[in-house]
Amino acid sequence: MSDALVIARGVRKGYGSGERRVEVLRDLDLEVARGEMLAVAGPSGVGKSTLLHLLGLLDRPDGGELLLFGSDVAALSVEERARWRNRRIGFVFQFHALLPEFTLEENVAMPLLIAGQPRRSALATAAEQIAAVGLGHRRTHFPDELSGGEQQRGSVARALVAAPELLLADEPTGNLDAANAEALFETFEELHLSRGLTSVIVTHNEALAGRCGRTLRLTGADVEVGCSRT
Amino acid sequence: MSVLGFLAGRYLVGLGRRTHVATVSAISFGAMALGAAALVVTLALLEGFQATIRAQLAEAGVHAVLRPTSGRTLPGGDWLAKLRARHPELEVRASSGGAVWCLGGDAAVPAELEAVDGLSRVEVNRVLAAQLGVGAGSELTIASPKLVLTPLGPLPMRRRVAVAAVSAMRPGDDRAVVLVPTRIGAALLDLGAPNTVELRARDVTQAWRVASVVQAELPKGVEVVSFAELNRPLLAALTLERAMIGFGVALVMAVAALNLLCNLALLAAEKRADVALLAAIGLPAARIRRLFVALGLGVGALGGVLGTLVGGVGAWLLDRTRALPLPRGVFIVSHVPFRVTPGAVATVLAVSLAAALLASLAPARAAARRNVLEGLRYE
Ligand SMILES: Nc1ncnc2c1ncn2[C@@H]1O[C@H](COP(=O)(O)OP(=O)(O)O)[C@@H](O)[C@H]1O
Ligand SMILES: [Mg+2]
């Protein structure tokens, strides 16, 4: 057994049934090594988000084998899946970044609060993480007082706050200008070096994808998934 | 404070931000409060009127009756004298008697004569008054089975008396009764031991306790009929009235709870993406369910408590200030009476809590069951 953090063997995933059945992922094989930074690219609707949802334990594969942190995810109980999502995996969602009734700081602290940390220390940790994504001056603002890019950076801060082993980001730079996107990637790279973070990042930005160690290109047309090393 | 308390608190209070959730929960909160207040006020009103009626019963009637367990007369002995001596707080009226004929107006009817000690005038009860067509001020003749020898031969002993009053009926008693002073009774009949003893507490608020106070001091062969037993039909009717009206008004709570249920379901639908996000970052389904139950209880139970408080204080004030007058001479009280009892308050609190809990369960389950991805996928 390799020390890969993510191992997918022949993973299949589709939606709907009968005539409306869509096969999105067909026999996907993938390994992501510990500490690796993998970019996922491909046209819209090809199944990038679907893949991330499988890796993030938000959905279950229809077939094949998926191992995370060395364990078969099929064997996990619902509670364990929730606990892993809370502590071992950080997820940056494509939509719905933040909860509107809570300040940025409270949003970022939420995974820690769910894990049962006392409010004070959770908020302190959240404040540090917010500063790390360059939003220190926005801590006590509500999401509707933040720009789209700021919200997105906030949701990155939330994904990272519990110091997860695996970061899954679904187009985290979609709303960011070049300079901010650049800064965000620098944050990711730093975490790779300092913490040995493993990440899978869906991005349309070729320049940024190029900075990842490897790019997974989903083409949809062929069953085999194109994989290019840069 | 747990994360659930934090989330629920923010959703409810809104932290100065005019959230839709806060508005909706304010409406449900108001509905529950209104329902609870209505229930408290109604129960206080019922209790107020019924307490007045019970006090009136105690004021007007007998508080306990001693009667033989078998036969027509109470056992002899000095127990009655002792009872009198030991309980100066009780009025004790022994009566003895037997069957007589009463003649008056244009009729002659059999009646029960009761010689009552301490009575100084003649009274007939309503049945006899109706049968003979007599009332206060009329005269009537009582004929006893005792015979006297007259020049015309043996004739029943007769006595002509003036009726001073028509006395109130004892509940459940439909005999024709004439009440006379002992002096007259003894002249007409051979009075033996008394056949009933009526007890009245001089302090009418003690009416309910009289039976239990004397119970232990009675000899064999004497049974005591308590105030509650004497007035059983009326008291049962009052209890039934309270139960039925209470139930009817409790339906207001059911409507408020349905409103709460709708609003929670709406909230769950509106907050679908947020709930999905919370689930995605690790909030387990069981805790999502608890979050919604907490929201429902927060709105419903707090509303119920506030309504109970407002209703209770309101009813108390209405009673104290005699704010609602009643037409003079029609009712025995001059204003609408309210009486807030701890039992009623506890009932309303329990009902509102139960209603809030029941209303929360279904939306909470639905929210917890929903697929995470469906909430997250679309913008
Ligand atoms: N719940 C669903 N039901 C039906 N089809 C779905 C569902 N979710 C995703 N799809 C389809 O799966 C395909 C891949 O979607 P997605 O993974 O979101 O693509 P991407 O993120 O690469 O743009 C799309 O064609 C989409 O319409
Ligand atoms: Mg997508």
Side-chain angles (χ1 to χ4, degrees), chain B residues 65-312:
Chain B
V65 170
L66 306 182
R67 65 182 186 203
T69 43
S70 65
R72 284 183 54 89
T73 56
L74 288 162
D78 59 351
W79 59 271
L80 190 55
K82 278 189 186 157
L83 194 72
R84 274 206 173 91
R86 217 173 300 141
H87 293 289
E89 81 280 10
L90 297 180
E91 285 171 24
V92 180
R93 284 205 333 182
S95 55
S96 43
V100 293
W101 281 84
C102 287
L103 300 77
D106 42 7
V109 296
E112 198 70 30
L113 176 133
E114 285 187 10
V116 180
D117 57 276
L119 194 67
S120 59
R121 55 189 200 172
V122 174
E123 295 177 10
V124 295
N125 77 349
R126 285 224 182 90
V127 175
L128 186 57
Q131 286 178 351
L132 285 183
V134 298
S138 345
E139 293 211 319
L140 81 93
T141 302
I142 306 172
S144 94
K146 239 164 118 180
L147 299 180
V148 285
L149 214 53
T150 68
L152 300 175
L155 280 180
M157 178 176 253
R158 290 145 58 105
R159 184 108 184 201
R160 198 158 179 79
V161 294
V163 175
V166 176
S167 63
M169 295 283 295
R170 256 174 248 143
D173 190 358
D174 54 2
R175 298 171 308 160
V177 177
V178 55
L179 301 168
V180 299
T182 324
R183 182 177 42 82
I184 299 178
L188 285 167
L189 293 173
D190 293 320
L191 293 177
N195 41 29
T196 57
V197 175
E198 294 180 344
L199 302 176
R200 245 181 87 83
R202 290 181 212 283
D203 172 7
V204 295
T205 60
Q206 297 298 308
W208 300 85
R209 299 191 47 239
V210 172
S212 59
V213 165
V214 300
Q215 181 91 66
E217 299 164 20
L218 300 176
K220 241 176 121 101
V222 181
E223 68 176 359
V224 57
V225 185
S226 68
F227 185 65
E229 286 163 335
L230 284 172
N231 298 290
R232 192 188 296 285
L234 179 60
L235 294 175
L238 292 184
T239 307
L240 185 67
E241 177 195 45
R242 187 158 41 169
M244 295 313 288
I245 295 185
F247 178 75
V249 177
L251 289 180
V252 174
M253 290 295 287
V255 174
L258 284 177
N259 168 277
L260 178 62
L261 189 148
C262 282
N263 278 340
L264 279 177
L266 214 70
L267 176 65
E270 193 189 274
K271 289 278 151 210
R272 186 173 158 166
D274 291 8
V275 171
L277 185 64
L278 285 169
I281 62 175
L283 194 63
R287 287 169 79 191
I288 291 174
R289 199 174 57 231
R290 290 220 300 275
L291 171 64
F292 276 84
V293 170
L295 284 171
L297 281 182
V299 171
L302 285 183
V305 169
L306 180 81
T308 308
L309 219 73
V310 168

Side-chain angles (χ1 to χ4, degrees), chain A residues 15-16 35-36 51-52 76 89 98 143 149 163 184 203 208 212:
Chain A
Y15 299 101
E36 194 182 354
L51 171 62
L52 238 53
L76 294 177
I89 302 172
L98 303 168
L184 194 61
T203 182
L208 293 177
C212 293

Side-chain angles (χ1 to χ4, degrees), chain A residues 50-121:
Chain A
T50 300
L51 171 62
L52 238 53
H53 292 153
L54 293 179
L55 299 184
L57 301 180
L58 293 170
D59 210 349
R60 296 169 192 269
D62 293 337
E65 206 182 1
L66 178 61
L67 289 93
L68 276 189
F69 314 115
S71 313
D72 189 345
V73 299
L76 294 177
S77 69
V78 176
E79 292 76 27
E80 269 173 313
R81 290 168 72 93
R83 195 158 43 242
W84 281 23
R85 288 200 302 269
N86 182 231
R87 312 205 180 156
R88 306 188 80 173
I89 302 172
F91 210 115
V92 181
F93 301 98
Q94 189 172 4
F95 310 117
H96 301 298
L98 303 168
L99 302 172
E101 277 88 0
F102 296 84
T103 63
L104 177 59
E105 189 175 44
E106 289 163 345
N107 263 290
V108 172
M110 205 57 82
L112 302 177
L113 294 172
I114 289 173
Q117 252 194 46
R119 185 104 76 91
R120 190 182 295 268
S121 77

Side-chain angles (χ1 to χ4, degrees), chain A residues 13-16 20 22-25 40-53 59 94-95 170-171 202 204 218, chain B residues 373-374 377-378:
Chain A
K13 180 69 186 174
Y15 299 101
R20 295 161 43 94
V22 203
E23 295 296 339
V24 182
L25 299 177
V40 178
S44 170
V46 80
K48 305 183 294 295
S49 296
T50 300
L51 171 62
L52 238 53
H53 292 153
D59 210 349
Q94 189 172 4
F95 310 117
D170 202 345
E171 305 190 22
V202 173
H204 285 301
L218 296 183
Chain B
L373 278 184
E374 274 171 30
R377 187 170 291 116
Y378 307 105

